[in-house]
Amino acid sequence: MVDALKFAVSVYVIVFVGVVAALPHQRRISPYNLKLRNPLANGYTYETLYLKQNVDHFGFENDNTYNQRYLVADQFWNHDNGPIFFYTGNEGDITWFCNNTGFMWDIAPEFKALLVFAEHRYYGESLPYGSESYANSTMLNYLTAEQALADHAELVHYIKSTVPGAAKSPVIVFGGSYGGMLAAWMRLKYPNLVLGALAASAPIWQFPGLSDCSSFYETASSLYYDASQACGDNLRLGWYTISEIGEGAAGGLDFLSQTFSLCKPLTSKYDLFDMMDWLANVYVNLAMVDYPYPASFLEPLPGWPVKEFCKNLATPLKEKDLMVALAKSVKMYFNYTGQATCLNISQQATGNLGDKGWGYQACTEMVMPTCSNNSNMFYNIPWDFKDYAAQCKADSGVEPRENWISLQYWGKNIKSASNIIFSNGLLDPWSGGGVLQSLSPSLIAIQIPLGAHHLDLRAQDPGDTADVRAAREQEKNILKDWLYGQ
Amino acid sequence: MVDALKFAVSVYVIVFVGVVAALPHQRRISPYNLKLRNPLANGYTYETLYLKQNVDHFGFENDNTYNQRYLVADQFWNHDNGPIFFYTGNEGDITWFCNNTGFMWDIAPEFKALLVFAEHRYYGESLPYGSESYANSTMLNYLTAEQALADHAELVHYIKSTVPGAAKSPVIVFGGSYGGMLAAWMRLKYPNLVLGALAASAPIWQFPGLSDCSSFYETASSLYYDASQACGDNLRLGWYTISEIGEGAAGGLDFLSQTFSLCKPLTSKYDLFDMMDWLANVYVNLAMVDYPYPASFLEPLPGWPVKEFCKNLATPLKEKDLMVALAKSVKMYFNYTGQATCLNISQQATGNLGDKGWGYQACTEMVMPTCSNNSNMFYNIPWDFKDYAAQCKADSGVEPRENWISLQYWGKNIKSASNIIFSNGLLDPWSGGGVLQSLSPSLIAIQIPLGAHHLDLRAQDPGDTADVRAAREQEKNILKDWLYGQ
């Protein structure tokens, strides 16, 4: 555990991408997470602070406390009741979210806003039990969205009641991905504290019974087919080619291992399943970060990385030629900066903190079905809650609750809420689990056709598409309406 | 513990009346609770059912379950989507609330409604750990409003998803006192499940910083002064008289013990504090149940019991004459049916289940300040949270959280909610902590000037006042608007 934690402080991780891939039997979950080798040095300056929080907000037997980290930037703030823009931190180091949520920094001067980035418990430095936080399911018991929201609520309350000038400051919560879910849920559950929420790429309906589990892989697949028909067909054929070569003539496993420069050579056909799982995650993640300009979100990548990835695959290929081309593309993803010496297909299974955290959350509350039925470039990936639950129980000793999130956060019946922007980039595989149509004049859906995973929350960039610029303008106007409209 | 539980199944208790009385130093809390010797035999028929619930909705380490009891009456129900009237059970045996919430029974035929009465965990038969539920603070850890609301939410979901015809049935929650708070909070936190709430005599603002702690005793006192100036003055003088006699000449304690027919004679001046605390609770409770007709809510009582109580005290009295008259009145309260052989001033300290439960809740979440500053017939009762917390810690090992309820249930900032009726009888000492003015067209306050504690929820009675009849009509019309208005 100590090693894992030491790792975590120097490594930025993204773990939301809780893809369930299944081949041939269902796999539990493999949150994809990669090192961000070059965290953005964007010059944002902030103060790092800590608030003592109850480890258990929902019970009184455990009176332990811990320090929640939060970052504050007040250089833009109108200290006389200027608004507070509050990022509801999600599953990772808050400094990373802070640095990758440039939209808040870009608009803070115009709104004269105080910026606050609140870290989610069990991630980054906000560890309820320090290096023991992940030791077992007893220690992990307080890792839930409800507890995290209560932390954020207490922090909002604390800031408003202690910072001079903040008492009457309206609070807008911002978040992307799971952080966007938390932002939306914060408005549902604590509208006394927050005036409104910008929930970017928040798949609040990617839960059992709320949306079609196939949309995730369908969307991802469509990006590759849009790049070129041949690219999608090649990737689809690739699964069979891997099996054929790996299970075929002697030397097949070695060929694959060498071609993909695998750190640990394949030694059996079971390793092929891991490899395919790993590849499926690569495709999905690349779709998630299909930004129009070079960016370092999951990995340092060129602009429109799916198109880049598909360049080598633009003509029909087969057999070893297909593998050689595919490997070249995969290395583009993992090794754009030329620093990787080999590729590690068990990377998502290594024990870094963010990964463990999301793995636990996925096995408790965050039951987010994804599936594929061979209708696209992915292999068959069934969804079966019972299998999923059994594997969670076997692996981590906890059992997920299939309908809890729907019950707790209102499922499809959110019309009685107000003041939430649900923005979604349509390139994002998660968009199918998001709110894509406005539900009322104050539950506003914004679609960004050429946007990937919460592109709108990123800092403005000369390479931005027109639609993300328009989305940000619309978001600013809605915020102004909330803040000044009455 | 076993004895306490055996007691509980045959005894009906009311424990909401968490009066904090302090003399001379602050007392922690003394929830007043008395036996209901004659539970109403009103002929209501219902089925008793149980739903398996998670003991801990907010964590995954404890996978224990327990059976929540609930009562169902479907004889009035239009099985084709007729509404569900759902009582959000509070701190006591649900059959008692069922029998004392005649309003739901009275209107069910007109609305063709399904009636459901859901028991609150840790009360009645809904004991998470059976006879060990109150053994220690570990067992009690799951006794919170959040857990109870989650139980109620799961039960609504279960009924709607399993009972044929219920899927589209709109749900209205009803509750009185703490149950009314739960009803209102249910609409705040789970509007996906419930269309609206009738929160009767729900002092959702009787929490630190939300209302004036003095209103509780002020209101109670005013009832006695309204009965007659002499009655209020006599009761006010009574405190000094008790001290003078009890601490004065030899035989004073015996005189008081005999005059009040105390089961356990007073033996020291410290016992006088207990006696005064007990009397203050009597006065408050009598105000709470100041119903216009004979009723058996806390005790079997005549109509307008405060006036009855004051009949012996209608002229200025002093010294032993005052004590004799006061004792006669007190016996009217405790012994209207002539069955009590002696009066027990430590009654509120006896270990019956409801008492223990509310005592725990008051020492954790339900920090409801009441105070008096000698401006009325009560003695000086200061409010000091630190003292309160220290006494809780010493007595029960848990520490209350002063602002949690405000944070969790929106404090005064509830305007973004909708579809809640807040009804309050103005005779009720708790009314000062309630919502007395409408906040929006769908957050509607109804005042019942001649009403005591949730009189409107009781069955209609020939002795009802015009204003409670009008309140019930208004409530019915609002329910119709919610159910059929769109």
Side-chain angles (χ1 to χ4, degrees):
Chain A
M1 276 318 300
V2 175
D3 282 349
L5 280 158
K6 208 164 56 185
F7 201 51
V9 290
S10 63
V11 169
Y12 298 91
V13 291
I14 174 71
V15 290
F16 182 73
V17 200
V19 181
V20 175
L23 181 82
H25 61 83
Q26 190 170 16
R27 308 288 288 278
R28 182 174 66 75
I29 192 150
S30 52
Y32 204 63
N33 52 88
L34 298 165
K35 301 179 191 178
L36 247 197
R37 297 192 190 85
N38 299 312
L40 289 173
N42 48 24
Y44 297 150
T45 58
Y46 49 77
E47 197 176 357
T48 301
L49 299 167
Y50 299 85
L51 179 65
K52 191 166 87 166
Q53 293 276 8
N54 290 313
V55 169
D56 189 3
H57 292 289
F58 298 96
F60 290 77
E61 170 73 350
N62 178 344
D63 59 0
N64 297 151
T65 58
Y66 84 99
N67 287 322
Q68 179 187 21
R69 178 168 59 157
Y70 62 107
L71 317 177
V72 174
D74 70 352
Q75 57 267 43
F76 316 109
W77 192 37
N78 173 358
H79 288 251
D80 184 19
N81 302 337
I84 298 172
F85 289 174
F86 187 102
Y87 188 92
T88 49
N90 37 315
E91 75 285 24
D93 186 304
I94 192 60
T95 63
W96 183 70
F97 293 114
C98 175
N99 284 321
N100 274 280
T101 311
F103 179 60
M104 288 172 69
W105 293 90
D106 287 345
I107 69 173
E110 181 176 350
F111 284 88
K112 296 183 167 55
L114 177 69
L115 297 183
V116 179
F117 296 85
E119 193 158 67
H120 191 297
R121 54 170 54 201
Y122 286 88
Y123 297 99
E125 294 183 4
S126 298
L127 301 172
Y129 292 108
S131 63
E132 294 300 306
S133 297
Y134 280 77
N136 53 50
S137 58
T138 304
M139 295 300 195
L140 280 162
N141 191 46
Y142 310 99
L143 172 50
T144 65
E146 292 71 48
Q147 299 275 11
L149 286 171
D151 284 339
H152 292 339
E154 291 280 5
L155 178 54
V156 168
H157 174 71
Y158 173 78
I159 290 170
K160 287 179 71 87
S161 54
T162 61
V163 176
K168 292 186 180 171
S169 292
V171 178
I172 307 287
V173 279
F174 293 71
S177 196
Y178 168 49
M181 289 157 54
L182 292 172
W185 295 344
M186 190 93 180
R187 176 65 190 165
L188 300 189
K189 294 292 190 175
Y190 297 97
N192 50 317
L193 297 173
V194 306
L195 175 64
L198 170 52
S201 294
I204 63 166
W205 289 342
Q206 188 87 34
F207 288 89
L210 302 183
S211 63
D212 184 344
C213 63
S214 70
S215 66
F216 185 83
Y217 291 109
E218 285 290 340
T219 302
S221 179
S222 68
L223 264 65
Y224 294 86
Y225 276 109
D226 285 352
S228 71
Q229 179 73 31
C231 185
D233 284 342
N234 280 330
L235 297 181
R236 181 182 175 103
L237 181 62
W239 312 118
Y240 301 98
T241 307
I242 290 170
S243 289
E244 275 181 356
I245 293 176
E247 300 184 42
L253 293 172
D254 286 345
F255 168 78
L256 291 171
S257 303
Q258 286 162 20
T259 303
F260 283 88
S261 303
L262 300 185
C263 301
K264 184 165 173 278
L266 305 168
T267 57
S268 83
K269 69 177 182 182
Y270 297 106
D271 290 345
L272 295 174
F273 301 148
D274 291 336
M275 180 176 173
M276 289 191 234
D277 188 20
W278 171 75
L279 282 173
N281 279 327
V282 169
Y283 306 161
V284 163
N285 280 280
L286 209 51
M288 278 181 58
V289 297
D290 197 26
Y291 298 134
Y293 50 84
S296 285
F297 189 65
L298 298 180
E299 288 284 304
L301 285 172
W304 298 121
V306 170
K307 283 200 182 73
E308 285 293 321
F309 187 92
C310 281
K311 277 187 180 169
N312 302 303
L313 300 157
T315 56
L317 298 168
K318 60 182 182 177
E319 300 175 0
K320 290 188 175 177
D321 290 345
L322 172 52
M323 292 296 102
V324 170
L326 179 57
K328 188 175 172 189
S329 290
V330 171
K331 288 173 188 171
M332 179 277 287
Y333 177 54
F334 281 107
N335 198 21
Y336 184 55
T337 55
Q339 293 171 1
T341 53
C342 62
L343 302 186
N344 182 358
I345 67 166
S346 61
Q347 197 155 27
Q348 65 264 35
T350 59
N352 81 53
L353 192 61
D355 182 7
K356 277 178 183 265
W358 188 255
Y360 178 83
Q361 291 193 261
C363 270
T364 49
E365 297 186 308
M366 300 298 159
V367 180
M368 304 177 77
T370 54
C371 65
S372 178
N373 61 1
N374 270 326
S375 64
N376 53 50
M377 76 178 206
F378 288 93
Y379 47 81
N380 188 46
I381 302 172
W383 170 256
D384 184 304
F385 176 73
K386 285 187 180 170
D387 285 354
Y388 181 87
Q391 290 172 35
C392 282
K393 182 74 175 170
D395 293 352
S396 54
V398 288
E399 282 188 272
R401 294 177 188 159
E402 189 173 12
N403 297 310
W404 171 250
I405 291 290
S406 289
L407 195 75
Q408 192 68 7
Y409 302 109
W410 310 4
K412 302 291 282 253
N413 303 319
I414 62 172
K415 277 191 187 171
S416 62
S418 61
N419 290 8
I420 306 175
I421 302 168
F422 295 101
S423 64
N424 278 284
L426 300 188
L427 303 179
D428 179 11
W430 293 105
S431 60
V435 180
L436 294 173
Q437 303 297 331
S438 295
L439 298 170
S440 78
S442 76
L443 292 177
I444 304 161
I446 297 178
Q447 297 189 5
I448 307 167
L450 291 179
H453 204 46
H454 52 70
L455 170 62
D456 50 331
L457 283 192
R458 298 181 62 78
Q460 58 181 329
D461 189 282
D464 276 328
T465 55
D467 53 8
V468 74
R469 291 174 198 268
R472 292 192 187 120
E473 275 308 304
Q474 189 181 352
E475 288 163 4
K476 277 170 54 181
N477 288 335
I478 294 166
L479 296 187
K480 286 176 188 169
D481 184 44
W482 293 346
L483 291 167
Y484 319 125
Q486 292 159 6
Chain B
M1 274 317 302
V2 175
D3 282 349
L5 280 159
K6 206 164 58 186
F7 201 53
V9 290
S10 62
V11 170
Y12 298 91
V13 291
I14 175 70
V15 291
F16 183 73
V17 200
V19 181
V20 176
L23 182 82
H25 59 84
Q26 189 169 18
R27 309 290 288 277
R28 182 174 66 77
I29 192 149
S30 52
Y32 205 61
N33 53 87
L34 297 166
K35 300 178 191 179
L36 244 199
R37 297 192 190 84
N38 299 313
L40 290 174
N42 48 22
Y44 297 151
T45 59
Y46 49 77
E47 197 175 357
T48 301
L49 298 168
Y50 299 85
L51 179 64
K52 191 166 87 166
Q53 294 275 9
N54 290 312
V55 169
D56 188 3
H57 292 289
F58 297 97
F60 290 77
E61 170 72 351
N62 179 343
D63 59 0
N64 297 153
T65 59
Y66 83 100
N67 287 323
Q68 179 187 20
R69 179 168 57 158
Y70 62 106
L71 316 177
V72 175
D74 70 351
Q75 56 268 41
F76 316 109
W77 191 38
N78 173 359
H79 287 250
D80 185 17
N81 302 335
I84 299 171
F85 289 174
F86 186 102
Y87 187 91
T88 48
N90 36 317
E91 75 285 23
D93 187 303
I94 192 60
T95 64
W96 182 70
F97 293 113
C98 175
N99 284 321
N100 274 279
T101 311
F103 180 59
M104 289 172 67
W105 294 90
D106 288 345
I107 68 173
E110 181 176 350
F111 285 88
K112 298 182 165 56
L114 177 69
L115 297 183
V116 179
F117 296 85
E119 193 159 66
H120 191 297
R121 53 170 56 202
Y122 286 87
Y123 297 98
E125 294 184 3
S126 298
L127 302 172
Y129 292 106
S131 62
E132 295 299 307
S133 298
Y134 280 77
N136 53 50
S137 57
T138 304
M139 295 299 196
L140 281 162
N141 191 46
Y142 309 99
L143 172 49
T144 65
E146 292 70 48
Q147 299 277 10
L149 288 171
D151 283 341
H152 293 338
E154 290 280 6
L155 177 54
V156 169
H157 173 72
Y158 173 78
I159 290 170
K160 287 179 70 87
S161 53
T162 61
V163 177
K168 292 185 180 173
S169 292
V171 178
I172 307 288
V173 280
F174 293 71
S177 195
Y178 168 48
M181 289 158 56
L182 292 172
W185 295 344
M186 190 92 179
R187 176 64 190 164
L188 300 190
K189 294 292 191 175
Y190 296 97
N192 50 317
L193 297 172
V194 306
L195 176 64
L198 170 53
S201 294
I204 61 166
W205 291 341
Q206 190 86 35
F207 288 89
L210 302 183
S211 64
D212 185 345
C213 64
S214 70
S215 66
F216 185 83
Y217 291 109
E218 284 291 340
T219 301
S221 180
S222 68
L223 264 66
Y224 293 86
Y225 277 109
D226 285 351
S228 71
Q229 178 74 29
C231 185
D233 284 343
N234 281 328
L235 297 181
R236 182 184 175 102
L237 182 63
W239 313 118
Y240 300 97
T241 309
I242 289 170
S243 289
E244 276 180 355
I245 293 176
E247 299 184 43
L253 293 173
D254 286 346
F255 168 78
L256 291 172
S257 303
Q258 285 162 20
T259 304
F260 283 87
S261 301
L262 300 186
C263 301
K264 184 166 173 278
L266 306 168
T267 58
S268 83
K269 69 177 182 181
Y270 297 106
D271 290 345
L272 296 174
F273 301 148
D274 291 337
M275 181 179 173
M276 289 192 232
D277 188 20
W278 171 75
L279 282 173
N281 279 327
V282 169
Y283 306 160
V284 163
N285 280 279
L286 209 51
M288 277 181 57
V289 296
D290 197 26
Y291 297 134
Y293 49 84
S296 286
F297 189 64
L298 298 181
E299 288 283 306
L301 286 172
W304 298 120
V306 170
K307 282 199 182 73
E308 285 294 320
F309 187 92
C310 283
K311 277 187 179 167
N312 301 305
L313 299 158
T315 55
L317 298 168
K318 59 181 181 176
E319 299 173 1
K320 290 188 175 177
D321 290 345
L322 172 53
M323 292 297 102
V324 170
L326 179 58
K328 188 173 173 193
S329 290
V330 170
K331 288 173 188 170
M332 179 277 288
Y333 178 54
F334 281 107
N335 198 22
Y336 183 57
T337 55
Q339 293 172 2
T341 54
C342 62
L343 303 187
N344 182 359
I345 68 165
S346 62
Q347 197 155 28
Q348 66 265 33
T350 59
N352 81 53
L353 191 61
D355 183 6
K356 278 179 183 263
W358 188 256
Y360 177 84
Q361 291 193 260
C363 270
T364 49
E365 297 185 308
M366 300 299 158
V367 180
M368 304 178 76
T370 55
C371 65
S372 178
N373 62 359
N374 270 326
S375 64
N376 54 49
M377 75 178 206
F378 289 93
Y379 47 81
N380 188 45
I381 302 172
W383 169 255
D384 184 305
F385 175 73
K386 284 186 181 170
D387 285 354
Y388 181 87
Q391 290 172 36
C392 282
K393 181 74 176 172
D395 294 352
S396 53
V398 287
E399 283 187 273
R401 294 177 187 159
E402 189 173 13
N403 296 310
W404 171 248
I405 290 291
S406 290
L407 195 74
Q408 192 67 7
Y409 301 109
W410 310 4
K412 303 292 281 255
N413 303 319
I414 61 172
K415 278 192 188 170
S416 62
S418 61
N419 289 9
I420 306 175
I421 301 168
F422 295 100
S423 64
N424 279 284
L426 300 188
L427 304 178
D428 179 11
W430 293 105
S431 61
V435 180
L436 294 174
Q437 303 298 331
S438 295
L439 299 171
S440 77
S442 75
L443 291 178
I444 304 162
I446 297 179
Q447 296 188 5
I448 307 167
L450 291 178
H453 203 45
H454 53 70
L455 171 61
D456 50 329
L457 283 191
R458 298 181 63 78
Q460 58 182 328
D461 189 282
D464 276 328
T465 54
D467 52 8
V468 74
R469 292 174 199 268
R472 291 192 188 120
E473 275 308 304
Q474 189 181 352
E475 288 163 3
K476 277 171 53 180
N477 288 334
I478 294 166
L479 295 187
K480 286 176 188 170
D481 184 45
W482 293 345
L483 291 167
Y484 319 125
Q486 292 158 5

